[in-house]
């Protein structure tokens, strides 16, 4: 039985042993697999981080270089003119253009101009000393932005040459400061040993941030096959600093730059190593513990475990008590140079947090130099006299932090033993910091009153006498401190406010937030506006008020100015329309039987002054007209300016309207003189009368504006409002209302008229012409297109036209005519909306159109309104492969001024000049001039309105490339147009 019991016990022990072994195997396998997965995850995270940093810097670099390229392309035409005009280069303000670009782009050092042969033509002030172009001009791409090699001038800042070829083959070279590239790399999250840099396409370091940042100019290898639009990831050991990194490279900026970023492999895997070491240590401890447990006997193991657990609990309690109280214990024997310190005591002094014996000198070495001698003296006196030891002192930790320690101890003399001293140390840094903060706060509060930049004083609420004033009050009000203390608060207030001051003193509001503005008087008699902030306090045994006086005189003046600005136009000083309406309605408030008139003066053609002479000239003209109108003395009342270049004049006595109008005609007879010369200004004048006593001023003004609009339409100087004008306006509104539904109802359609090449008769394009079909027939485009522009409906209609034109071009391709592009007329209103390039791009993508499949025709007015925006939009269109034509060329205002700067492909000669060009000498002269102008600018010439064979022959003789008109074909729907294309040429 005993043997069986022994065997059973042995079997149980063996079973438990094998359970422990297999459990250890499973845990070991799982832990090792986890370590492997953790390393893989950290490696992948580091690679993703390096790629994210690379792409972010690449995107910033793309936008930076793109802005510089656009600025350089903007001055390319002036640079060509400067380079070609050897006789008078002063006409081309290239230095001014360069200064303007450099002032807007602080990252540029300067811009130089080189000739087609690479020799310098214009050199900036801060040149880097090269007389020839720093680039092989034979191999440079003609239309791309080229980058030269990094240039370092002695101690000067390194620069990168950016080179752009102008349309005529010259070179603009901008010197880019590498400091701007360096700023892009600041504050990037790549770790302490990580790096991020910007390289040239051949690996020259242009800017770098990392563990070693001084490597600009050195060359590093770039992964093979890395071209623009691609990325690459490799694990490399840096040639610059020898650090192994997970590196990412990107060449996606569209320019010959490479962005590289790397995350240190050692730094990325450091947490994994700690994790792996800890896991392996724990695994080893597990196996050691398992083996240990297997060898323990049941009885001895139980006893030892109980004793160990008890001791551990006591040790934990002691450690937690020390940690909670920020305290530690220490002990040492007399004449010993070592002290036994608890783990927390060691930690407080910055030693490894383990209990043990430590050199006493190292404890004293950690003390602050100003405290060490005092503590050593007190410690020695305690040993010598047997008295308790107590000291507060500062210690300096290895990381530079300072900590306050409160140390206590007492010597013990036990018979037969070496004298010992034991004690405690407590971290009292927080208490000392609080004491120092309290002391600083008290000092600050003591200085707050006297050194406050605003006047401060305290006065007795019963006697109103000043009890204390600060220096600012003395300086601001001009009284001495003794004079202040002998005065009451009423003596710095004007007499008319004394009653209000006394009432405010009795108010119980606490604190007074100073919503009211008071008047104060200084010793010199000057009055200032003051906002008071006060609170009741007890001061030196008195019921008092603490007062802060905020001078808001400038703010009050600003508010007065705002009120004036709210009622007036700043440029002219006249009333604005809202205030004018209020003044007009007051004219009949006291005399309901009286009537008044309103004269609406609409200035002519001022919208063209800004593009020609600048905004300043336009403002000078308007201000001069405003002064003249305000100075008239013909019975006029209030005068206002309406920002749409119009003036409103009220005539209190309606019968005197003719005198006011006569004065206005005389006023406009004299030209306006400005810095840019003499300008004759004309206007359309509309007159309206108050027809009923209850009629609002806004209605009368609207009638006068309608009369002025009709005067503009009929081109007469003056027009009176009649009900017939309102009826006409109502009819126009009705047409606009029908237009709003025409698009939704499918009433619009496109007709197509071919554009034929002269030399071989090939149809190269078709102009898409909008038609409006109603139950009553087709509405002429001249009737509804202006109304569409005025109402803003031209924008959705134009978007529909773009979509239909793209569909038509796709139909032409399907029918076998891919060479026939579709030309779209874009109105000025639609073009200035800024959405045309995007709409054309999206339509072409939806229908799979090739580049050049769509053309855009613009009138000159579209360019005159906002030339800068027009230039940007036209460049965007051409980048998408869209040809741009100027329609009706020669009929606009100042056409030549914009041909020089805008990106144009074709000029379309207006039909009015083509009409009988073979017979009319004047039309012939104009056409010859326009053809010569277009050819001089390397533009294609298209003639519109060709209706006779003689006209076609004349145009062919004089070099016109393309023609369109009734003689070629009339506009027809798409199906008929395709049928016309399919017909034999002789039968057309």
């Amino acid at each position: 039985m005993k043997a069986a019991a022994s065997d059973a016990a042995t079997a149980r022990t063996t079973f438990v042993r094998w359970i422990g072994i297999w459990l250890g195997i499973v845990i070991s396998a799982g832990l090792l697999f986890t370590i492997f997965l953790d390393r893989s995850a950290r490696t992948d995270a580091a690679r993703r981080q390096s790629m994210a940093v690379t792409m972010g810097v690449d995107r910033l670099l793309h936008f930076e270089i793109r802005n510089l390229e656009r600025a350089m392309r903007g001055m390319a035409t002036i640079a060509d003119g400067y380079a070609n005009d050897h006789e008078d280069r002063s006409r081309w303000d290239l230095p001014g253009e360069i200064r303007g670009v450099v002032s807007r782009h602080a990252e540029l050092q300067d811009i130089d101009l080189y000739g087609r042969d690479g020799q310098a033509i214009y050199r900036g002030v801060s040149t880097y000393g090269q007389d020839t172009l720093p680039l092989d001009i034979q191999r440079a791409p003609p239309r791309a932005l080229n980058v030269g090699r990094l240039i370092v001038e002695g101690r000067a800042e390194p620069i990168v040459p950016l080179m752009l070829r102008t349309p005529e083959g010259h070179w603009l070279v901008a010197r880019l400061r590498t400091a701007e590239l360096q700023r892009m790399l600041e504050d990037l999250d790549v770790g302490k040993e990580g790096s991020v840099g910007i390289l040239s396409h051949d690996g020259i370091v242009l800017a770098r941030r990392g563990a070693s940042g001084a490597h600009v100019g050195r060359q590093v290898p770039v992964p093979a096959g890395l071209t623009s639009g691609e990325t690459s990831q490799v694990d490399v050991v840096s040639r610059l600093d020898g650090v192994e990194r997970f590196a990412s490279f990107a060449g996606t900026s569209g320019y010959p730059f490479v962005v590289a970023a790397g995350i240190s492999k050692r730094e990325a895997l450091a947490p994994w190593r700690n994790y792996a070491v800890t896991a392996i240590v724990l695994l080893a401890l597990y196996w050691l513990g398992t083996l240990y447990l297997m060898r323990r006997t049941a009885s001895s193991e139980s006893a030892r475990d109980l004793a160990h657990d008890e001791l551990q609990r006591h040790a934990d309690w002691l450690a937690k008590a020390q940690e909670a109280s920020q305290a530690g214990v220490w002990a040492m024997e007399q004449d010993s140079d070592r002290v036994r310190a608890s783990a927390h005591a060691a930690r407080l002094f910055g030693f490894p947090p383990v209990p043990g014996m430590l050199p006493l000198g190292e404890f004293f070495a950690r003390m602050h130099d100003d405290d060490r001698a005092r503590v050593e003296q007190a410690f020695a006196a305690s040993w010598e006299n047997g008295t308790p030891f107590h000291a507060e002192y500062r210690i300096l930790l290895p990381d530079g932090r300072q900590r306050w320690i409160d140390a206590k101890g007492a010597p013990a003399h036990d018979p037969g033993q070496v004298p010992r001293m034991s004690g405690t140390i407590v971290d009292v840094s927080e208490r000392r910091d609080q004491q120092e903060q309290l002391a600083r706060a008290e000092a600050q509060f003591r200085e707050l009153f006297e050194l406050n930049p605003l006047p401060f004083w305290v006065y007795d609420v019963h006697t109103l006498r000043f009890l204390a004033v600060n220096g600012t009050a003395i300086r601001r009000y001009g009284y001495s401190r003794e004079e202040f203390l002998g005065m009451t608060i009423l003596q710095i207030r004007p007499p008319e406010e004394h009653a209000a001051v006394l009432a405010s003193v009795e108010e119980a509001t606490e604190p007074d937030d100073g919503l009211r503005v008071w008047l104060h008087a200084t010793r010199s008699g000057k009055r200032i506006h003051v906002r008071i902030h006060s609170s009741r306090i007890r001061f030196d045994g008195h019921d008092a008020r603490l007062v802060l006086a905020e001078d808001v005189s400038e703010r009050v003046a600003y508010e007065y100015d705002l009120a004036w600005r709210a009622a007036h136009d700043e440029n002219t000083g006249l009333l604005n329309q809202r205030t004018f309406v209020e003044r007009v309605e007051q004219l009949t408030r006291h005399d309901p039987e009286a009537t008044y008139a309103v004269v609406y003066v609409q200035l002519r053609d001022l919208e063209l002054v800004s593009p020609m002479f600048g905004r300043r000239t336009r403002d000078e003209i308007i201000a001069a007209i405003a002064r003249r109108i305000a100075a008239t003395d013909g019975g006029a009342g209030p005068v206002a300016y309406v920002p749409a270049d119009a003036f409103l004049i009220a005539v209190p006595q309606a019968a005197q309207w003719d005198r006011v109008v006569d004065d206005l005609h005389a006023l406009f007879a004299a030209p306006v003189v400005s810095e840019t010369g003499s300008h004759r200004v004309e206007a359309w004048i509309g007159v309206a009368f108050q027809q009923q006593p209850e009629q609002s001023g806004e209605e009368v003004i609207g009638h006068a504006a309608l009369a002025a609009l009709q005067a503009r339409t009929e081109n007469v100087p003056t027009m009176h409002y009649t009900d017939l004008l309102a009826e006409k306006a109502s009819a126009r509104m009705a047409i606009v209302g029908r237009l709003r539904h025409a698009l939704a109802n499918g009433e619009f359609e496109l007709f197509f008229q071919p554009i034929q090449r002269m030399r071989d008769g090939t149809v190269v394009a078709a102009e898409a012409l909008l038609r409006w079909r109603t139950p009553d027939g087709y509405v002429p485009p001249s009737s509804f297109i202006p109304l569409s522009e005025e109402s803003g409906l031209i924008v959705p209609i134009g978007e529909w036209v773009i979509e239909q034109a793209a569909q038509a071009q796709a139909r032409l391709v399907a029918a076998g005519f891919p060479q026939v592009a579709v030309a779209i007329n874009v109105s000025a209103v639609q073009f200035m909306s800024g959405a045309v390039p995007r709409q054309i791009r999206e339509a072409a993508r939806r229908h799979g159109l090739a580049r050049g499949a769509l053309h855009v025709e613009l009138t000159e007015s579209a360019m005159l309104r906002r030339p800068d925006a027009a230039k940007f939009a036209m460049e965007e269109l051409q980048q998408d492969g869209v040809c741009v034509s100027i329609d009706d060329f020669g009929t606009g205002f100042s056409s030549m001024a914009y041909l020089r700067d805008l990106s144009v492909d074709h000029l379309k000669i207006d039909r009015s000049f083509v009409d009988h060009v073979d017979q009319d000498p004047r039309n012939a002269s104009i056409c010859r001039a326009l053809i010569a102008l277009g050819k001089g600018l390397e533009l294609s010439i298209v003639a519109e309105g060709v209706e006779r064979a003689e006209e076609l022959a004349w145009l062919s003789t004089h070099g016109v490339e393309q023609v369109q008109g009734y003689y070629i074909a009339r506009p027809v729907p798409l199906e008929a147009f395709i049928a016309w294309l399919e017909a034999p040429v002789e039968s057309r």
Side-chain angles (χ1 to χ4, degrees):
M1 295 293 294
K2 292 184 179 179
S6 176
D7 291 340
T10 302
R12 287 195 299 270
T13 303
T14 303
F15 177 77
V16 171
R17 182 184 300 114
W18 280 107
I19 290 296
I21 292 173
W22 281 108
L23 182 61
I25 292 173
V26 172
I27 293 175
S28 300
L31 195 57
L32 293 175
F33 182 71
T34 303
I35 292 172
F36 172 78
L37 291 181
D38 184 73
R39 189 182 190 280
S40 299
R42 294 182 185 275
T43 300
D44 292 341
R47 290 192 175 109
R48 287 194 301 271
Q49 182 181 0
S50 70
M51 180 57 70
V53 172
T54 300
M55 296 306 296
V57 173
D58 184 78
R59 190 64 176 169
L60 290 175
L61 179 63
H62 170 78
F63 287 122
E64 179 72 19
I65 301 303
R66 184 186 67 179
N67 291 338
L68 296 179
E69 180 183 8
R70 289 178 177 174
M72 295 172 68
R73 290 191 185 279
M75 68 169 67
T77 302
I78 294 179
D80 284 337
Y82 184 91
N84 295 331
D85 195 349
H86 300 287
E87 297 180 359
D88 186 11
R89 287 179 172 170
S90 62
R91 297 186 306 168
W92 307 86
D93 190 16
L94 178 62
E97 285 288 322
I98 292 176
R99 288 194 299 272
V101 172
V102 173
S103 66
R104 292 190 299 272
H105 298 276
E107 62 271 23
L108 293 182
Q109 187 187 70
D110 214 328
I111 301 176
D112 302 329
L113 176 63
Y114 291 80
R116 299 182 183 90
D117 56 356
Q119 297 299 315
I121 297 176
Y122 173 82
R123 300 270 293 279
V125 177
S126 54
T127 180
Y128 52 81
Q130 295 196 10
D131 294 323
T132 60
L133 187 69
L135 180 70
D136 186 352
I137 62 177
Q138 300 298 327
R139 294 182 297 173
R143 296 185 62 84
L145 182 68
N146 299 277
V147 179
R149 296 188 64 85
L150 182 71
I151 298 174
V152 180
E153 304 178 66
R155 296 184 180 180
E157 177 184 3
I159 60 173
V160 179
L162 302 181
M163 288 156 284
L164 178 72
R165 179 173 288 178
T166 67
E168 295 191 17
H170 302 99
W171 290 89
L172 281 171
V173 180
R175 301 197 292 278
L176 174 63
R177 305 176 189 269
T178 57
E180 177 65 19
L181 303 180
Q182 193 70 34
R183 280 194 291 272
M184 295 182 187
L185 309 181
E186 299 297 330
D187 301 326
L188 295 177
D189 184 15
V190 294
K192 295 182 179 180
E193 296 182 355
S195 71
V196 58
I198 298 176
L199 318 174
S200 65
H201 64 281
D202 55 356
I204 300 298
V205 179
L206 306 181
R208 186 175 186 270
R209 175 193 176 279
S212 299
H215 299 292
V216 174
R218 295 182 60 181
Q219 187 170 17
V220 298
V222 177
L226 184 65
T227 59
S228 178
E230 297 180 354
T231 59
S232 177
Q233 282 195 324
V234 293
D235 298 346
V236 299
V237 176
S238 174
R239 290 187 179 181
L240 301 180
D241 52 19
V243 177
E244 184 178 7
R245 296 186 177 94
F246 302 109
S248 297
F249 296 81
T252 61
S253 66
Y255 298 97
F257 293 93
V258 176
V259 177
I263 303 299
S264 168
K265 185 174 182 179
R266 184 179 68 84
E267 191 173 27
L269 295 180
W272 172 81
R273 295 190 184 94
N274 296 334
Y275 170 73
V277 170
T278 302
I280 293 173
V281 169
L282 291 176
L283 190 61
L285 290 176
Y286 172 84
W287 285 108
L288 290 175
T290 301
L291 294 175
Y292 178 74
L293 290 174
M294 291 179 180
R295 299 177 61 185
R296 295 285 298 269
T297 64
S299 58
S300 62
E301 182 68 22
S302 177
R304 283 194 296 271
D305 286 347
L306 290 175
H308 178 269
D309 291 344
E310 187 67 21
L311 290 175
Q312 187 64 40
R313 281 195 297 272
H314 286 292
D316 290 342
W317 289 342
L318 179 60
K320 291 178 180 178
Q322 293 182 10
E323 185 173 358
S325 61
Q326 293 290 303
V329 296
W330 56 273
M332 66 174 296
E333 296 179 350
Q334 190 174 21
D335 298 330
S336 173
D337 61 349
R338 301 182 71 82
V339 58
R340 180 178 297 278
S342 66
H344 199 71
R347 182 186 296 110
L348 289 178
F349 270 78
F351 298 117
V354 293
M357 300 294 291
L358 294 172
L360 180 63
E362 292 188 9
F363 275 91
F364 282 105
R366 293 287 170 90
M367 296 181 187
H368 196 283
D369 293 341
D370 296 339
D371 299 336
R372 186 181 302 115
R374 172 175 57 83
V375 177
E376 288 177 343
Q377 183 178 0
F379 192 71
S382 178
W383 275 115
E384 182 178 352
N385 302 326
T387 57
F389 165 73
H390 182 209
E392 280 195 10
Y393 51 86
R394 292 162 290 178
I395 61 173
L396 297 176
L397 300 180
D399 59 5
R401 290 182 297 136
Q402 177 178 286
R403 180 177 288 165
W404 277 94
I405 297 295
D406 183 285
K408 294 181 181 179
H413 300 276
D414 295 332
Q417 295 185 357
V418 177
R420 292 178 302 165
M421 180 183 294
S422 61
T424 61
I425 56 174
V426 181
D427 184 356
V428 294
S429 302
E430 185 176 354
R431 174 172 61 81
R432 291 300 296 252
D433 290 342
Q434 292 175 350
Q435 291 175 348
E436 292 179 2
Q437 291 175 5
L438 180 61
R440 288 195 299 269
E442 291 176 353
Q444 290 172 355
F445 280 120
R446 284 195 299 269
E447 296 178 354
L448 177 62
F449 181 82
E450 184 61 34
L451 300 181
N452 196 287
L454 297 177
F456 244 132
W457 59 71
V458 180
Y459 71 89
D460 190 307
V461 296
H462 300 299
T463 65
L464 304 184
R465 287 192 173 276
F466 289 99
L467 300 177
V469 293
N470 69 350
T472 305
I474 293 171
R475 292 190 298 272
R476 294 281 179 87
Y477 286 81
Y479 297 101
S480 66
R481 191 179 302 274
E482 292 73 16
E483 289 174 327
F484 254 123
L485 297 180
M487 297 165 52
T488 69
I489 61 172
L490 295 178
Q491 290 176 264
I492 63 171
R493 305 292 182 93
E496 61 269 19
E497 288 195 356
H498 284 183
V501 172
L502 295 174
S504 68
V505 172
E506 301 299 327
E507 292 178 357
T509 304
E510 281 295 324
D512 187 350
D513 293 331
L515 298 178
R516 180 174 176 179
V517 176
W518 299 84
L519 277 176
H520 281 195
T522 66
R523 184 173 186 176
S524 64
K526 176 184 177 182
R527 293 193 175 190
I528 58 177
H529 291 84
V530 176
R531 179 167 286 144
I532 295 297
H533 307 269
S534 68
S535 291
R536 287 184 178 272
I537 62 171
R538 288 288 295 176
F539 184 83
D540 199 17
H542 296 270
D543 292 330
R545 271 191 181 272
L546 175 66
V547 176
L548 182 146
E550 178 187 3
D551 186 350
V552 294
S553 300
E554 293 185 0
R555 186 183 306 172
V556 171
Y558 176 70
E559 290 173 353
Y560 288 156
D561 182 62
L562 283 182
W564 184 90
R565 292 172 184 268
H568 295 76
D569 174 73
E570 296 183 28
N571 185 42
T572 63
L574 300 179
L575 300 175
N576 57 31
Q577 186 169 342
R578 178 181 58 80
T579 309
F580 180 82
V581 171
E582 296 174 357
R583 300 284 180 87
V584 165
E585 292 180 345
Q586 292 175 0
L587 294 177
T588 58
R589 186 166 299 172
H590 301 293
D591 186 6
E593 301 298 328
T595 60
Y596 61 87
V598 172
V599 179
Y600 192 98
V601 182
Q602 177 67 59
L603 302 183
R604 298 177 57 177
D605 298 332
L606 277 191
E607 69 273 9
L608 302 178
V609 172
S610 294
M612 289 296 298
F613 304 104
R615 179 76 182 183
R616 181 175 178 180
T617 298
R618 178 181 177 277
D619 291 343
E620 288 179 358
I621 293 173
I622 293 175
I625 297 298
R627 289 192 297 270
R628 293 182 183 182
I629 293 177
T632 58
D633 187 17
V639 180
Y641 173 70
V642 181
D645 300 336
F647 294 91
L648 292 172
I649 305 169
V651 184
Q653 301 297 327
Q656 297 182 358
W657 70 267
D658 53 344
R659 294 179 56 190
V660 174
V661 171
D662 290 342
D663 290 343
L664 290 173
H665 285 309
L667 179 153
F668 288 111
V672 176
V673 179
S674 69
E675 293 182 355
T676 57
S678 178
H679 305 275
R680 182 169 296 279
V681 181
E682 298 179 351
W684 294 287
I685 299 175
V687 182
F689 301 96
Q690 183 191 26
Q691 298 173 332
Q692 299 173 357
E694 66 276 7
Q695 190 175 20
S696 67
E698 289 187 358
E699 185 177 356
V700 179
I701 293 171
H703 289 171
L706 184 59
L709 179 61
Q710 188 62 27
R712 175 177 182 173
T713 302
E714 298 184 11
N715 198 23
V716 296
T718 306
M719 178 70 68
H720 286 74
Y721 170 79
T722 64
D723 292 339
L724 181 59
L725 292 181
E727 293 175 1
K728 291 182 179 180
S730 178
R732 288 165 59 87
M733 292 299 294
I735 296 178
V736 172
R738 292 171 58 190
L739 276 171
R740 296 184 187 280
H741 301 287
L743 187 60
N745 295 338
E747 298 177 7
F748 290 115
E749 60 185 52
L750 290 184
F751 279 31
F752 297 87
Q753 185 177 34
I755 300 176
Q756 182 175 287
R757 191 162 54 209
M758 290 286 286
R759 70 171 184 266
D760 56 7
T762 301
V763 176
V764 296
E767 182 177 0
L769 302 172
L770 182 63
R771 296 293 185 263
W772 182 13
R773 183 188 68 258
T774 67
D776 300 328
Y778 284 96
V779 180
S782 60
S783 299
F784 71 87
I785 287 182
L787 290 178
S788 300
E789 293 181 338
E790 293 175 9
S791 61
L793 293 174
I794 194 66
V795 175
I797 293 175
E799 186 172 358
W800 178 88
V801 169
I802 291 173
E803 178 65 20
Q804 295 301 312
Q807 292 182 11
Q809 213 286 327
R811 289 280 309 279
L812 288 171
V813 173
F817 303 101
Q819 77 283 1
V820 180
V822 176
I824 306 166
N825 287 288
V826 177
S827 73
V829 175
Q830 180 186 3
F831 190 65
M832 287 301 102
S833 68
V836 170
R838 175 184 56 79
Q839 292 170 357
I840 292 179
R841 185 163 51 248
E842 293 176 353
R845 183 174 62 253
R846 281 194 300 271
H847 297 285
L849 304 185
R851 290 176 61 88
L854 295 179
H855 294 184
V856 168
E857 296 187 2
L858 303 172
T859 60
E860 295 174 71
S861 59
M863 297 175 291
L864 286 171
R865 292 187 180 182
R866 290 169 56 196
D868 294 337
K871 179 179 180 182
F872 180 81
M874 293 169 73
E875 290 176 351
E876 187 176 358
L877 286 170
Q878 288 193 330
Q879 290 174 1
D880 293 335
V882 178
C883 293
V884 180
S885 302
I886 298 181
D887 199 11
D888 301 333
F889 183 70
T891 61
F893 181 81
S894 184
S895 304
M896 312 306 172
Y898 295 97
L899 287 179
R900 179 189 58 197
D901 303 322
L902 296 180
S903 300
V904 180
D905 298 295
H906 305 288
L907 294 182
K908 299 192 72 175
I909 302 176
D910 186 66
R911 65 182 67 250
S912 61
F913 302 135
V914 176
D915 184 26
H916 289 83
V917 68
D918 57 311
Q919 301 174 0
D920 189 334
R922 294 187 177 183
N923 279 356
S925 297
I926 293 174
C927 286
R928 279 193 293 268
L930 296 180
I931 293 169
L933 174 64
K935 290 184 177 298
L937 296 174
E938 299 181 355
L939 302 177
S940 177
I941 305 300
V942 182
E944 297 181 298
V946 178
E947 299 184 0
R948 300 166 51 247
E950 293 78 6
E951 295 169 351
L952 183 66
W954 190 95
L955 294 170
S956 176
T957 302
H958 289 82
V960 172
E961 289 91 342
Q962 300 174 14
V963 293
Q964 71 178 103
Y966 286 176
Y967 184 77
I968 309 301
R970 290 179 174 271
V972 292
L974 179 61
E975 297 299 333
F977 178 66
I978 293 176
W980 182 85
L981 289 173
E982 293 174 343
V985 175
E986 58 273 8
S987 63
R988 294 177 181 173

